[in-house]
């Protein structure tokens, strides 16, 4: 194959063939953007985002998240005698008390008074009272 | 001609149906006085900072409570129901309570998701440019948060109900053992 032949081949290359590396890079980027979009939408819609304390704004409370809480379990097999019932009563009671001990999502925390949105001059000017009437 | 009539009838019905809802939702901000709107505009950045702290604390509560509820449902209730069935006791009431608890757990997750979206929207708003919309958004987030609270109350009530059902079953199981001996 002479140099002339090679030059002829190069001339015959189509526009796409001469830019295929660039095309490949663009395709890879498009596919990556698509897959990241799918992943992010699943992250949002599945509720995983709400459990993710590594997001910005949650750094103060991250360390307070309970660690190693899920080790407790009750065997599904076995008899139902006094001892096994007492074991369950203890495990369940502990967990129930822990779950119900704190008053979570107290409405008072987000009231107009707590947020100090505006000064209440009198009850008639209170928009919340007006809305409920 | 006929199409125009039909369109106007549909539009009229839509206006009638949506009217009361729109009014109910916006009633609070309509009744804000000019002075209050001005105060909301002045203070809203501080309010957003407070809401950021509330959101962080709520996120922590959501994670911790979710873990507690998941553990109870999957590691205590489900195995106990299996054991009751294996020992041929009547576990219908326990199973019913478990099903109700799991359904309410799904409601809790969904309500928290909606609340989290709303409060994030409030925190990200340009509140000084739109104080009335900001106030409305705070009211909406507050309503969603109250719904989460209601869900937590119901979950706690279902935990107590399961406990009562368990004690009934324990009593009948021990009575049965005693009568067999």
């Amino acid at each position: 194959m002479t140099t002339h032949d090679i030059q002829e081949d190069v001339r015959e290359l189509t526009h796409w063939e001469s830019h295929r590396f660039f095309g490949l890079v663009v395709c890879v980027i498009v596919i990556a953007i698509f897959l990241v979009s799918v992943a992010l939408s699943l992250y949002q819609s599945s509720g995983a985002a709400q459990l993710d304390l590594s997001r910005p704004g949650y750094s103060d409370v991250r360390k307070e998240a309970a660690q190693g809480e899920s080790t407790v379990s009750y065997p599904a097999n076995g008899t139902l005698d006094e001892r096994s019932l007492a074991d369950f009563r203890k495990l369940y009671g502990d967990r129930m008390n822990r779950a119900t001990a704190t008053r979570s999502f107290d409405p008072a925390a987000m009231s107009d008074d707590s947020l100090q949105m505006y000064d209440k001059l009198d009850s008639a000017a209170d928009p919340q009272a007006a809305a409920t009437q | 001609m006929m199409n125009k009539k039909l369109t106007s009838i549909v539009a009229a019905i839509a206006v009638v149906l949506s009217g009361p809802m729109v009014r109910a939702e916006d009633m609070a901000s309509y009744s804000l006085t000019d002075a209050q709107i001005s105060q909301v505009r002045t203070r809203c950045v501080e309010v957003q900072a407070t809401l950021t702290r509330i959101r962080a604390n709520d996120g922590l509560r959501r994670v911790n409570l979710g873990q507690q509820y998941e553990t109870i449902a999957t590691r205590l209730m489900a195995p106990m129901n299996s054991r009751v069935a294996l020992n041929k006791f009547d576990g219908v009431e326990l199973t019913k309570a478990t099903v109700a608890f799991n359904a309410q757990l799904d409601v809790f997750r969904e309500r928290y998701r909606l609340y989290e979206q709303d409060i994030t929207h409030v925190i990200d708003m340009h509140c000084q440019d739109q104080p009335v919309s900001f106030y409305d958004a705070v009211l909406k987030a507050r309503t969603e948060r109250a719904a989460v609270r209601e869900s937590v109350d119901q979950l706690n009530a279902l935990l107590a109900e399961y406990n009562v059902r368990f004690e009934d079953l324990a009593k009948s199981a021990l009575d049965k053992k005693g009568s067999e001996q």
Side-chain angles (χ1 to χ4, degrees), chain A residues 58 61 64 105, chain B residues 52-62:
Chain A
Y58 292 85
V61 297
E64 294 173 44
F105 306 102
Chain B
T52 304
R53 283 196 298 277
I54 290 175
R55 183 182 65 167
N57 287 324
D58 285 348
L60 179 65
R61 286 198 189 101
R62 162 70 182 88

Side-chain angles (χ1 to χ4, degrees), chain A residues 101-122:
Chain A
T102 51
R103 183 169 166 75
S104 307
F105 306 102
D106 189 351
M110 258 183 86
S111 66
D112 282 345
D113 285 343
S114 297
L115 296 176
Q116 295 183 324
M117 297 267 269
Y118 52 81
D119 295 329
K120 278 187 183 172
L121 299 175
D122 54 64

Side-chain angles (χ1 to χ4, degrees), chain A residues 55-105:
Chain A
R55 288 177 294 164
Y58 292 85
S59 55
D60 295 342
V61 297
R62 205 173 298 153
K63 286 175 189 167
E64 294 173 44
Q67 304 269 331
E69 288 282 323
S70 56
T71 49
V72 67
S73 66
Y74 186 75
N77 299 313
T79 56
L80 273 180
D81 53 18
E82 202 164 342
R83 191 175 169 183
S84 66
L85 291 169
D87 286 347
F88 182 83
R89 188 176 287 120
K90 186 180 181 312
L91 286 173
Y92 188 84
D94 284 351
R95 290 283 149 176
M96 187 174 76
N97 290 338
R98 240 189 267 187
T100 57
T102 51
R103 183 169 166 75
S104 307
F105 306 102

Side-chain angles (χ1 to χ4, degrees), chain A residues 55 58 66 70 72 74-75 77-79 84 89 92 100 103-104 106 110 112 117-119 125 127-128, chain B residues 28 36 39 43 55 64 67 75-76 79 83 86-87 113 116 135 142 145 149 156 159 162 166-167:
Chain A
R55 288 177 294 164
Y58 292 85
S70 56
V72 67
Y74 186 75
N77 299 313
T79 56
S84 66
R89 188 176 287 120
Y92 188 84
T100 57
R103 183 169 166 75
S104 307
D106 189 351
M110 258 183 86
D112 282 345
M117 297 267 269
Y118 52 81
D119 295 329
Q128 272 193 302
Chain B
Q36 285 172 332
Q39 285 176 342
R43 297 176 185 178
R55 183 182 65 167
N64 287 343
Q67 275 184 6
R75 291 175 179 261
L76 295 176
R83 192 183 271 222
L86 283 172
N87 284 274
R113 193 180 67 78
E116 214 263 356
Y135 187 76
R142 187 182 293 160
R145 195 170 187 273
R149 171 74 209 170
N156 291 345
L159 285 178
Y162 188 91
F166 166 74
E167 290 300 340

Side-chain angles (χ1 to χ4, degrees), chain B residues 4-5 21-22 26 28-30 33 43 49 55 66 73 80 84 97 99 101 112 116 123 130 140 142 158 164 179:
Chain B
K4 273 188 178 177
K5 265 190 176 177
M21 280 185 277
V22 170
D26 291 347
S29 58
Y30 286 161
T33 63
R43 297 176 185 178
R55 183 182 65 167
M80 172 47 86
V84 168
V99 169
F101 183 81
Y112 185 82
E116 214 263 356
I123 290 165
Q130 38 188 347
K140 190 163 180 288
R142 187 182 293 160
L158 286 166
V164 170
S179 63

